[in-house]
Amino acid sequence: MSEKLHCKWNQSGCGVWTTTIGEKPQDNLLSIAGIKPRIKEINKMVDTGFPFGIEVEVKKVRENMVIDFPLDSDEKIYGLGLQFQNINQRNKVYHLKVDHYGENDNGRTHAPCPFYVSSKGYGVFINTTKYVSVYVGSANRKDCSKLAKAKDRNTDQTWTASPSADHIEVALKSEGVEIIIFGGPSILEVVRRYNLFCGGGCLPPKWGLGIWKRVPTLYTDKQVLDVVKEFESKDFPIDVIGLEPGWHSKSYPCTYEWDENRFPQPKVFCEKLKEKDVMINLWENPYVSPDASIYEKLYPLSGSHDVWCGIVPDYTLPEAIKILQNQHQQAHVNIGISGYKIDECDGYDDWLWPNHAEFPSGHTGEEMRQTYGLQLQKLTTEIFKEQDKRTYGLVRASNSGGVSFPYVIYNDCYNFSQYITALINSSFCGVLWVPEVRSAKTAAEWVRRCQLVCFSPMAMVNSWASEIELWTFKEVENIVRDVMKLRKRIIPYLYSAFSRYYFEGIPPFRALVMDSNLINMNSNQNISKLDDTENPYQIAASRDIKDQFIVGDCLMVAPMMPDQEEREVILPEGDWYDFYTGEVVGNGEVIKIKPGLECIPLYVKDGGIIPMVSEKSEKDSDFTLEVRCYGKAEGRYVLYDDDGKTFAYERGEYNHILLTTNKDKKGNIFGNVEIIRNKINSNFKEYEFRFMSL
Amino acid sequence: MSEKLHCKWNQSGCGVWTTTIGEKPQDNLLSIAGIKPRIKEINKMVDTGFPFGIEVEVKKVRENMVIDFPLDSDEKIYGLGLQFQNINQRNKVYHLKVDHYGENDNGRTHAPCPFYVSSKGYGVFINTTKYVSVYVGSANRKDCSKLAKAKDRNTDQTWTASPSADHIEVALKSEGVEIIIFGGPSILEVVRRYNLFCGGGCLPPKWGLGIWKRVPTLYTDKQVLDVVKEFESKDFPIDVIGLEPGWHSKSYPCTYEWDENRFPQPKVFCEKLKEKDVMINLWENPYVSPDASIYEKLYPLSGSHDVWCGIVPDYTLPEAIKILQNQHQQAHVNIGISGYKIDECDGYDDWLWPNHAEFPSGHTGEEMRQTYGLQLQKLTTEIFKEQDKRTYGLVRASNSGGVSFPYVIYNDCYNFSQYITALINSSFCGVLWVPEVRSAKTAAEWVRRCQLVCFSPMAMVNSWASEIELWTFKEVENIVRDVMKLRKRIIPYLYSAFSRYYFEGIPPFRALVMDSNLINMNSNQNISKLDDTENPYQIAASRDIKDQFIVGDCLMVAPMMPDQEEREVILPEGDWYDFYTGEVVGNGEVIKIKPGLECIPLYVKDGGIIPMVSEKSEKDSDFTLEVRCYGKAEGRYVLYDDDGKTFAYERGEYNHILLTTNKDKKGNIFGNVEIIRNKINSNFKEYEFRFMSL
């Protein structure tokens, strides 16, 4: 009944092996995204051997392609897309499908990336546009070599509903599939190879790292300008205004044309905001209204089924891409629009074409569902790229292959702790995730949400529906303003972190296991040695760490939950310092903190260097960088800079500035600045560096 | 890309047409269930023409088989399995899959029957063992003839997320499939044809309609006997005791062998309960423990994957069936066990083999998942049938094809109103559903749950985990006892209702739309004419009726919710009478009632006749039937009877007793008893009839 298939691995880069089993499919995730693996950068990485022997088995079981990977009993598995509740995905089953997150980690998510990374230091990527099921040590084959033992549930307290299996089974309905294996040896190196293979991380424009604000859907041009004025008068920074559906003459489905009543002069409107240095982001969804000027042209290029009575263009077709790109360019980009929020491409269960829908390119509804978010990101990114402008936007669906697209995923989940888990998991699958601020029941919740979003890829205030403004809770207005300003001040640090995402594939926001030596402590084999009283740190580290994450080179964030007054923080080995005071807080231990509402807990590694825009220079032409130096170890930090808005960096026009520090016994800091690469174009304003010991 | 397939309809019975498209599959739902359509009974029904012209279109879209059925704008669609929240399934999408109900009506359910019935009076049955997706007017093909119009969500309040399509699309991944169309003309007649085609309804043994009680999992034989004694001493009826997993020597996976400590002498234990006229039902799940005596024999006949470290036998193989049947017969049935509760065959998401699992018969995991409940029902029913005994039990998974199996579906949902919706929906798909009593937070809730379960296919008290006994809430002990005794007294009425399920395919518990002329009022076209003040009844009837149902010929149940003190009751046209008082309550209107805790609201149609065991004769040899006669119309009722426990009825050994009534102007009743069929064997005890005007 089943037929074994041969699996021949080809090395396609340093630590990267690929195989195609069965028929080569029409497309895969990378071909749809138009991505070429960045093999040159991968080949700069440390060499590593093929992680499995010949243990990968592939077979065809009737209509199913089944791939079997080995799994050790103490192995942890991370990734498999943007999951919201679990970090170690062992003993789970994921049916990977583009969909909204429905309160369960079951594979239906906004970015169901068919990629996982093992704590043993290797990764597996199933490069397919089909639905994929992954049984992560949860499909117990009766012939498996390390069969779990049956237990008597009547009397045995150790009985479990999920006995652990010694393999990962991947299944899909397909004639053929490409599999890619990434070596490590560390988790971070696996993820870096995966990110670079998928095109490398995106580098947002600098303005994209500022403060975002979305306005009510039916606002007019004048009302939008008033919002900006109000931010100014209240001394809150604002960098990007997002317009919701009402800017369209019709929406759901969309015309992509300005409503003549609400925005009679879009070009003038854009110019007015440009004067204030505020960028404009436009909401859209991909379903084209019969009233859109491009409807007739797109009709024959669209799928068999409508969504909300709008056609669904097949954006794997160059003709269709061109039509939307031209319209967007003329109506939006040429007058100064900076980017898009691409809504509803995740389907939200059944608000989409069916799986069996037909598309003119020959792709099925299933293949289109898995990749529509990629198609839309590619299409819109290209409009800007053609004008040598960077964009930064929001999207509700992505997949592997979207790593290099400058889009951040959002959704309708509003669970604070799941927000953080998603932020951590985003680092295992090459996507960015934003814990948007939408509303709050209390001032404390408002503060905690604002603090969290300021330590995420996009500082997005999307509270137009709740009508809560940043200053609504008077008693915390100053605290909220402080964290918004802090966000603006750390842009040099965040921007450098994103540059490493682009150049080296290092996620700017990421899980602790990627940086620390928690991995070894995480081994299941150690559990028996743990002692809750003598060594609580090991207990904590053996669990998933779902409430702390790393930003950039040396900063650890431990957000407070809205209703939390105190919490535990796990400090990996090495001295850790309080970001605000510079005081040492611990080393390889669990501390309990009670930080007060005014601060989000932030910790810096020994020797950590954090360059910040100085408080004074914020809007000045005299641009001073305050270089915060933490701890006793010698510091070394590479600051990245470029023009902040074009693709000149891809042509080599960027600077690398090496900041090094050491301290004498009295704590006096000796800082050194060395420009190790200086290729920046004339737009560049040189920094003045002011080293500060903390 | 897509290929149209030819669809040739063959009439295979009166009002039944079938077609096979593509390759004839290895199996279908009826062949797995071993069911032969009851064409002879179908051919006794009224003739009806083919409901569609040649409008059914079938095409192959890559790996998908897609079937298109027409759908009128005012058409309602019922069925598509045991759904818990909606009755009219229009504008929904169902991915029909055996699974536990996960709080969403999306097709994952304990009985995902691929059958629907239209308010226009026809039905469609996709007789397949594959997963089926059904888009009930919810897939908007852009070429459909009555395309819904796009609306502007910015400003149009009538915008909807689910614009209605003019067709039902059915899709499955398959090389071939059988489709069956049933004519009506009424909804009830469609359902009758479907039920008879699937083997006809089951007729439970009479004891099965009594009171059931499940005991704690680790109870010993002595403790079980004490439970029965306690019921007796408290004057509560008890007819069946259910043993939970602890009777097995090991469970999860199971041995099917008695635990020697808790049940050292199972035969003696069974005999003791038999003396008390109490039957025994055994819990089991289908996963075989390595410690089971039958493990070695079943091993080569089982699937590629284990569940909870137990093997999964392939019960489409006669050898495997025989092994379990022999073991069950010897260890259970021969010593007096009356039936089974077959747990965990629904998978509960991922507690099952994967879809790609291999089974020795050649079926895939997917096909086995859709039919495992059927296989187990068939297998166990046969054990009893071979001994000419009827059984009645519980199962967590079924499908079309299971209509004739004497099993009732249960699950872990405990939502009272969803319990009722499921009871109503069970009538559209040929399954039985039990709203088990498990626990209650208040005495009122306990009462309402006990009342509801007494008007369901199985009066099951499954409260062992909560440790609430029928008499725990002292203040309502008498009310609970009353309804338990009422259940026992109406067994003749229920039993006759079940006989019509067997002989005619009429569901004993069913939706109001099957009996009343609510259907026409239900038309969407009438909505504009509705007047909330002048004609609130039409408003109510245009909605799904989710909280009232029909039992047998003439009884309507309108259960009170646990926290409800008053409610509205929709009375279809014709006079309706209060079951308890005989007073007229209304006609074609909506009434508001406030019935008090002591009664579940019950209403009887004009001319309704309800035969009940008289209060006195309950445990007597003098067996008097109280014949309750309601209203002014002449009554006509056919009472069914047989030996209550064997299959003699299938061999023609049953009685039909015609009860007719009329009243004079003073309300005096004239009742007449006519034995119109008398083929009962000597076990039969003749009734004495006492007509009572109410």
Side-chain angles (χ1 to χ4, degrees):
Chain A
M1 174 182 171
S2 74
E3 175 201 350
K4 286 215 174 172
L5 299 178
H6 187 58
C7 195
K8 187 177 173 295
W9 296 100
N10 303 305
Q11 185 152 12
S12 51
C14 167
V16 182
W17 296 265
T18 59
T19 190
T20 300
I21 302 154
E23 256 175 59
K24 196 178 153 119
Q26 180 185 4
D27 264 311
N28 58 44
L29 292 171
L30 298 196
S31 70
I32 293 275
I35 291 302
K36 294 252 177 315
R38 300 248 306 271
I39 298 296
K40 213 174 112 187
E41 280 77 11
I42 291 174
N43 285 343
K44 291 178 194 158
M45 292 180 64
V46 61
D47 205 5
T48 176
F50 187 78
F52 314 103
I54 44 160
E55 298 164 275
V56 182
E57 279 183 17
V58 186
K59 58 188 168 180
K60 193 112 180 107
V61 183
R62 300 234 330 239
E63 66 272 32
N64 304 290
M65 174 86 77
V66 184
I67 313 154
D68 244 69
F69 299 95
L71 182 65
D72 276 356
S73 60
D74 62 344
E75 198 167 345
K76 295 199 171 195
I77 298 296
Y78 306 101
L80 294 170
L82 189 66
Q83 308 299 336
F84 285 74
Q85 295 185 42
N86 302 293
I87 291 180
N88 177 11
Q89 311 299 1
R90 253 203 103 126
N91 289 4
K92 305 272 182 317
V93 180
Y94 290 105
H95 303 292
L96 297 174
K97 181 184 180 188
V98 166
D99 211 327
H100 77 124
Y101 163 62
E103 306 295 321
N104 269 312
D105 275 4
N106 54 17
R108 297 172 20 148
T109 177
H110 307 266
C113 308
F115 165 72
Y116 65 82
V117 48
S118 159
S119 59
K120 299 275 174 189
Y122 66 89
V124 173
F125 173 33
I126 314 293
N127 186 16
T128 178
T129 58
K130 308 295 266 182
Y131 296 150
V132 182
S133 294
V134 186
Y135 297 79
V136 192
S138 49
N140 295 69
R141 278 201 341 228
K142 76 177 181 187
D143 64 355
C144 83
S145 60
K146 295 167 208 151
L147 196 62
K149 288 270 179 297
K151 292 181 176 181
D152 177 22
R153 194 182 183 185
N154 295 337
T155 53
D156 188 341
Q157 297 288 323
T158 68
W159 182 90
T160 167
S162 310
S164 205
D166 66 352
H167 53 274
I168 293 180
E169 281 192 7
V170 176
L172 64 164
K173 290 193 166 39
S174 173
E175 295 302 308
V177 66
E178 185 184 49
I179 308 172
I180 299 139
I181 304 276
F182 300 104
S186 72
I187 292 178
L188 181 59
E189 281 158 313
V190 173
V191 169
R192 286 183 54 201
R193 282 183 222 272
Y194 162 78
N195 284 339
L196 290 169
F197 195 84
C198 295
C202 70
L203 180 61
K206 276 190 192 166
W207 55 258
L209 300 178
I211 307 301
W212 292 57
K213 159 82 183 165
R214 303 204 78 87
V215 296
T217 184
L218 292 180
Y219 261 27
T220 62
D221 49 4
K222 193 184 160 311
Q223 286 172 301
V224 176
L225 288 163
D226 288 345
V227 168
V228 176
K229 281 181 204 146
E230 197 168 10
F231 267 72
E232 283 172 349
S233 74
K234 300 224 184 259
D235 189 25
F236 273 85
I238 183 165
D239 296 277
V240 189
I241 280 278
L243 304 185
E244 290 291 302
W247 73 268
H248 290 262
S249 59
K250 289 183 176 172
S251 75
Y252 285 86
C254 296
T255 58
Y256 311 111
E257 289 154 25
W258 294 90
D259 182 76
E260 289 180 3
N261 295 311
R262 292 182 287 274
F263 292 90
Q265 294 182 292
K267 190 159 183 283
V268 175
F269 167 73
C270 291
E271 280 160 7
K272 282 190 184 158
L273 282 179
K274 195 177 164 63
E275 280 166 25
K276 294 189 175 290
D277 255 344
V278 174
M279 312 302 279
I280 307 166
N281 175 286
L282 297 182
W283 173 98
E284 67 178 33
N285 72 31
Y287 313 113
V288 183
S289 166
D291 292 307
S293 61
I294 53 177
Y295 180 82
E296 294 300 331
K297 276 184 283 180
L298 283 173
Y299 189 91
L301 307 173
S302 65
S304 56
H305 288 71
D306 283 354
V307 174
W308 297 316
C309 309
I311 52 169
V312 184
D314 183 338
Y315 290 126
T316 68
L317 300 174
E319 315 90 276
I321 293 173
K322 214 67 226 158
I323 292 165
L324 196 73
Q325 282 181 336
N326 284 342
Q327 191 278 334
H328 275 38
Q329 191 176 320
Q330 285 160 33
H332 315 146
V333 182
N334 286 353
I335 64 170
I337 293 304
S338 73
Y340 297 94
K341 168 181 174 179
I342 306 171
D343 212 3
E344 278 109 14
C345 45
D346 59 327
Y348 208 93
D349 290 332
D350 299 310
W351 292 357
L352 214 67
W353 59 89
N355 291 331
H356 62 263
E358 298 174 72
F359 284 82
S361 60
H363 292 106
T364 59
E366 173 179 337
E367 292 162 340
M368 290 297 279
R369 182 169 189 142
Q370 293 295 73
T371 61
Y372 212 49
L374 290 180
Q375 294 172 35
L376 295 159
Q377 290 178 76
K378 170 174 177 280
L379 180 164
T380 46
T381 303
E382 284 173 355
I383 304 172
F384 292 93
K385 187 141 193 182
E386 207 190 275
Q387 304 196 355
D388 198 25
K389 280 182 199 160
R390 278 183 253 169
T391 181
Y392 198 40
L394 296 131
V395 71
R396 260 184 90 103
S398 194
N399 208 328
S400 295
V403 180
S404 69
F405 296 133
Y407 278 93
V408 184
I409 299 173
Y410 65 101
N411 75 352
D412 293 329
C413 160
Y414 205 58
N415 180 302
F416 196 91
S417 66
Q418 291 177 15
Y419 259 18
I420 306 173
T421 307
L423 194 54
I424 293 167
N425 279 333
S426 70
S427 67
F428 293 117
C429 57
V431 299
L432 300 173
W433 160 255
V434 52
E436 290 189 343
V437 178
R438 294 192 169 189
S439 70
K441 290 199 177 67
T442 63
E445 183 187 351
W446 188 249
V447 167
R448 294 313 189 191
R449 290 188 177 275
C450 287
Q451 288 172 338
L452 176 62
V453 88
C454 285
F455 286 85
S456 84
M458 182 180 274
M460 168 58 77
V461 183
N462 185 17
S463 58
W464 63 269
S466 72
E467 298 182 0
I468 301 178
E469 296 296 341
L470 286 174
W471 44 83
T472 296
F473 293 101
K474 279 285 154 241
E475 64 273 42
V476 294
E477 181 181 340
N478 290 336
I479 296 177
V480 173
R481 186 185 294 106
D482 284 352
V483 77
M484 295 288 152
K485 290 192 170 180
L486 178 59
R487 165 75 181 201
K488 293 274 294 184
R489 292 182 61 203
I490 59 163
I491 287 178
Y493 179 78
L494 295 177
Y495 196 60
S496 295
F498 269 101
S499 78
R500 308 214 211 302
Y501 193 32
Y502 169 74
F503 287 101
E504 300 169 56
I506 300 173
F509 298 83
R510 62 191 178 275
L512 258 69
V513 287
M514 281 199 207
D515 286 63
S516 67
N517 48 6
L518 289 173
I519 305 153
N520 296 330
M521 299 187 186
N522 258 344
S523 155
N524 288 328
Q525 293 180 321
N526 284 338
I527 282 181
S528 58
K529 298 179 214 152
L530 299 181
D531 182 328
D532 206 358
T533 326
E534 295 299 309
N535 192 351
Y537 169 65
Q538 282 219 341
I539 288 264
S542 75
R543 298 192 199 110
D544 280 354
I545 300 173
K546 296 185 184 179
D547 54 0
Q548 297 174 224
F549 56 94
I550 303 289
V551 182
D553 285 16
C554 59
L555 188 67
M556 181 165 70
V557 186
M560 301 299 291
M561 305 285 153
D563 55 353
Q564 225 175 11
E565 291 192 356
E566 56 179 30
R567 63 162 287 172
E568 290 185 343
V569 178
I570 298 175
L571 301 172
E573 286 184 9
D575 282 333
W576 287 86
Y577 295 84
D578 184 284
F579 168 82
Y580 304 96
T581 65
E583 279 167 19
V584 66
V585 290
N587 175 340
E589 63 190 297
V590 178
I591 58 169
K592 198 164 247 177
I593 59 166
K594 203 173 170 176
L597 205 54
E598 61 282 6
C599 286
I600 180 170
L602 300 173
Y603 303 96
V604 186
K605 275 186 201 169
D606 194 12
I609 291 177
I610 298 187
M612 290 172 65
V613 178
S614 96
E615 221 160 335
K616 272 201 330 208
S617 66
E618 198 189 329
K619 284 216 167 183
D620 278 347
S621 55
D622 124 72
F623 209 63
T624 307
L625 269 193
E626 189 178 293
V627 181
R628 296 197 176 193
C629 311
Y630 291 84
K632 298 183 188 113
E634 290 185 6
R636 186 188 154 84
Y637 179 85
V638 177
L639 180 69
Y640 171 85
D641 203 20
D642 62 17
D643 67 13
K645 55 191 182 189
T646 76
F647 288 91
Y649 70 97
E650 288 194 352
R651 301 183 292 267
E653 294 176 19
Y654 58 89
N655 279 8
H656 269 152
I657 301 156
L658 176 65
L659 307 176
T660 51
T661 58
N662 47 51
K663 284 185 183 177
D664 64 15
K665 282 177 184 167
K666 289 179 184 163
N668 296 317
I669 189 91
F670 297 94
N672 187 48
V673 177
E674 185 186 345
I675 297 184
I676 53 178
R677 181 187 177 93
N678 187 355
K679 300 269 183 166
I680 228 152
N681 68 18
S682 57
N683 292 333
F684 177 59
K685 231 179 289 139
E686 278 201 25
Y687 294 130
E688 181 185 317
F689 295 92
R690 199 164 63 215
F691 287 85
M692 262 179 78
S693 175
L694 271 132
Chain B
M1 174 180 173
S2 74
E3 175 202 351
K4 286 216 173 169
L5 299 178
H6 187 59
C7 194
K8 187 178 173 294
W9 296 100
N10 302 306
Q11 185 151 13
S12 52
C14 167
V16 181
W17 295 266
T18 60
T19 190
T20 300
I21 301 155
E23 257 175 59
K24 196 177 153 121
Q26 179 186 6
D27 264 311
N28 58 42
L29 291 171
L30 298 195
S31 70
I32 292 276
I35 291 301
K36 293 254 178 312
R38 300 249 304 270
I39 299 296
K40 214 174 112 187
E41 281 76 12
I42 290 174
N43 286 343
K44 289 178 194 159
M45 291 179 64
V46 61
D47 205 4
T48 176
F50 187 77
F52 315 103
I54 44 160
E55 297 164 276
V56 182
E57 278 183 18
V58 187
K59 59 188 168 180
K60 195 113 178 107
V61 183
R62 300 232 333 237
E63 66 272 32
N64 305 288
M65 176 85 78
V66 184
I67 313 154
D68 243 70
F69 299 95
L71 182 66
D72 277 354
S73 60
D74 61 343
E75 199 168 344
K76 294 199 171 196
I77 297 296
Y78 306 102
L80 294 170
L82 189 65
Q83 308 299 336
F84 286 73
Q85 295 185 41
N86 302 293
I87 292 181
N88 177 12
Q89 311 299 0
R90 253 204 104 127
N91 288 4
K92 305 271 183 318
V93 181
Y94 289 106
H95 303 293
L96 297 173
K97 180 185 181 188
V98 167
D99 210 326
H100 79 123
Y101 162 62
E103 306 295 321
N104 268 312
D105 275 3
N106 54 17
R108 298 172 20 148
T109 177
H110 307 266
C113 308
F115 165 72
Y116 65 82
V117 48
S118 159
S119 58
K120 299 274 173 188
Y122 67 87
V124 173
F125 173 34
I126 314 292
N127 186 16
T128 179
T129 59
K130 306 296 265 183
Y131 296 150
V132 182
S133 293
V134 186
Y135 297 80
V136 192
S138 49
N140 294 70
R141 277 200 341 226
K142 76 178 179 187
D143 63 354
C144 83
S145 60
K146 295 169 208 149
L147 194 64
K149 288 270 179 298
K151 292 180 176 180
D152 177 21
R153 195 182 182 185
N154 296 336
T155 53
D156 188 342
Q157 297 289 323
T158 68
W159 182 90
T160 167
S162 312
S164 206
D166 67 352
H167 52 274
I168 293 180
E169 280 191 8
V170 176
L172 64 164
K173 288 192 167 41
S174 173
E175 295 301 309
V177 64
E178 185 183 50
I179 307 172
I180 299 140
I181 305 275
F182 301 104
S186 72
I187 293 179
L188 182 59
E189 282 159 310
V190 174
V191 169
R192 287 182 54 201
R193 283 182 220 272
Y194 163 78
N195 283 340
L196 290 168
F197 194 85
C198 295
C202 70
L203 180 61
K206 275 190 193 165
W207 56 259
L209 300 179
I211 308 300
W212 291 58
K213 159 81 182 165
R214 303 204 78 87
V215 296
T217 185
L218 292 181
Y219 261 27
T220 63
D221 50 4
K222 193 182 160 309
Q223 286 172 302
V224 176
L225 288 162
D226 287 346
V227 168
V228 175
K229 281 181 203 147
E230 197 170 10
F231 267 72
E232 284 173 350
S233 75
K234 301 228 184 255
D235 190 25
F236 273 85
I238 183 165
D239 297 277
V240 189
I241 280 277
L243 304 185
E244 290 291 303
W247 73 267
H248 290 262
S249 58
K250 289 183 176 172
S251 74
Y252 285 88
C254 297
T255 59
Y256 311 112
E257 290 153 24
W258 294 90
D259 183 76
E260 289 181 2
N261 295 311
R262 294 182 287 273
F263 294 90
Q265 295 181 294
K267 191 161 184 280
V268 175
F269 167 72
C270 291
E271 279 161 5
K272 282 191 183 154
L273 281 180
K274 195 179 163 64
E275 280 166 24
K276 295 190 173 289
D277 254 344
V278 174
M279 311 303 278
I280 307 167
N281 175 285
L282 297 183
W283 174 97
E284 66 178 32
N285 71 32
Y287 313 112
V288 183
S289 167
D291 292 308
S293 60
I294 53 177
Y295 180 83
E296 294 299 332
K297 277 184 282 180
L298 284 172
Y299 189 90
L301 307 173
S302 64
S304 56
H305 288 71
D306 283 355
V307 174
W308 296 318
C309 308
I311 51 170
V312 184
D314 183 339
Y315 290 125
T316 67
L317 301 173
E319 317 88 279
I321 294 173
K322 214 65 228 158
I323 292 166
L324 195 75
Q325 282 181 336
N326 285 343
Q327 190 277 337
H328 275 39
Q329 191 177 319
Q330 284 161 33
H332 316 147
V333 181
N334 287 353
I335 65 171
I337 292 305
S338 73
Y340 297 95
K341 168 182 173 177
I342 306 171
D343 211 3
E344 279 110 13
C345 45
D346 59 328
Y348 208 94
D349 291 329
D350 298 310
W351 291 356
L352 213 68
W353 59 89
N355 292 331
H356 62 263
E358 298 175 71
F359 284 82
S361 60
H363 292 106
T364 59
E366 172 179 337
E367 292 162 342
M368 290 297 278
R369 181 167 190 144
Q370 293 295 73
T371 61
Y372 212 49
L374 290 179
Q375 295 171 35
L376 295 159
Q377 291 178 75
K378 169 174 177 281
L379 180 163
T380 46
T381 303
E382 284 173 354
I383 304 172
F384 292 94
K385 187 142 194 182
E386 206 192 273
Q387 303 195 357
D388 198 27
K389 280 183 201 159
R390 277 184 254 169
T391 181
Y392 199 40
L394 296 131
V395 72
R396 258 183 92 103
S398 193
N399 209 327
S400 295
V403 181
S404 70
F405 296 133
Y407 278 92
V408 185
I409 299 173
Y410 66 100
N411 75 353
D412 294 328
C413 160
Y414 204 59
N415 179 303
F416 196 91
S417 68
Q418 291 178 15
Y419 260 19
I420 306 173
T421 307
L423 194 54
I424 293 167
N425 278 334
S426 70
S427 66
F428 293 116
C429 57
V431 300
L432 301 172
W433 160 256
V434 52
E436 291 188 343
V437 178
R438 293 191 168 189
S439 71
K441 290 199 177 66
T442 64
E445 183 186 351
W446 187 249
V447 167
R448 293 314 188 190
R449 290 189 177 276
C450 288
Q451 289 172 338
L452 175 62
V453 86
C454 285
F455 286 86
S456 85
M458 182 181 274
M460 168 58 77
V461 183
N462 185 18
S463 58
W464 64 269
S466 72
E467 297 182 0
I468 300 177
E469 296 295 342
L470 286 173
W471 45 83
T472 296
F473 294 100
K474 279 284 155 242
E475 64 273 42
V476 295
E477 182 180 340
N478 289 338
I479 296 177
V480 173
R481 186 186 291 106
D482 284 351
V483 76
M484 295 287 153
K485 290 193 171 180
L486 178 59
R487 165 75 181 201
K488 293 274 294 184
R489 291 182 63 202
I490 59 163
I491 287 178
Y493 179 77
L494 296 178
Y495 197 60
S496 295
F498 269 101
S499 78
R500 308 214 211 303
Y501 193 32
Y502 169 73
F503 286 103
E504 300 168 58
I506 300 173
F509 298 82
R510 63 191 177 274
L512 259 69
V513 286
M514 282 197 206
D515 286 63
S516 66
N517 48 6
L518 289 174
I519 305 153
N520 296 330
M521 298 185 188
N522 258 344
S523 154
N524 287 330
Q525 293 179 321
N526 284 338
I527 282 182
S528 61
K529 297 180 214 151
L530 299 181
D531 181 330
D532 205 359
T533 326
E534 295 299 309
N535 193 351
Y537 169 64
Q538 283 218 341
I539 288 265
S542 75
R543 298 189 199 112
D544 281 353
I545 299 172
K546 296 184 184 180
D547 54 1
Q548 296 175 223
F549 57 92
I550 303 289
V551 182
D553 286 15
C554 60
L555 188 66
M556 181 166 70
V557 187
M560 300 300 291
M561 305 285 151
D563 55 354
Q564 224 176 11
E565 290 192 356
E566 56 178 31
R567 62 161 287 171
E568 289 185 344
V569 179
I570 298 175
L571 300 171
E573 284 184 11
D575 282 333
W576 287 87
Y577 296 84
D578 184 284
F579 169 82
Y580 303 97
T581 65
E583 279 168 20
V584 65
V585 288
N587 175 340
E589 63 191 295
V590 178
I591 58 170
K592 197 164 250 177
I593 58 166
K594 203 174 170 175
L597 206 54
E598 61 282 5
C599 285
I600 179 171
L602 300 172
Y603 302 97
V604 187
K605 274 187 203 169
D606 194 12
I609 291 177
I610 298 188
M612 289 171 65
V613 178
S614 96
E615 223 161 336
K616 273 200 334 209
S617 65
E618 197 189 330
K619 284 216 167 184
D620 278 347
S621 55
D622 124 70
F623 207 64
T624 305
L625 269 194
E626 190 177 293
V627 181
R628 295 197 177 192
C629 311
Y630 290 83
K632 298 184 186 114
E634 291 185 5
R636 185 189 156 84
Y637 180 86
V638 177
L639 180 69
Y640 171 84
D641 204 18
D642 63 17
D643 67 13
K645 55 192 181 187
T646 76
F647 288 91
Y649 70 98
E650 287 195 352
R651 301 183 292 266
E653 293 175 21
Y654 58 87
N655 278 9
H656 269 152
I657 301 156
L658 176 65
L659 306 177
T660 50
T661 59
N662 47 49
K663 285 186 182 176
D664 65 14
K665 281 176 186 168
K666 288 179 184 164
N668 295 319
I669 189 92
F670 296 94
N672 187 47
V673 178
E674 185 186 346
I675 297 185
I676 52 179
R677 180 187 176 94
N678 188 355
K679 299 268 185 167
I680 229 152
N681 69 17
S682 56
N683 290 332
F684 177 59
K685 232 179 288 135
E686 278 202 25
Y687 293 131
E688 180 184 316
F689 294 92
R690 199 163 64 217
F691 286 85
M692 262 180 77
S693 176
L694 271 134

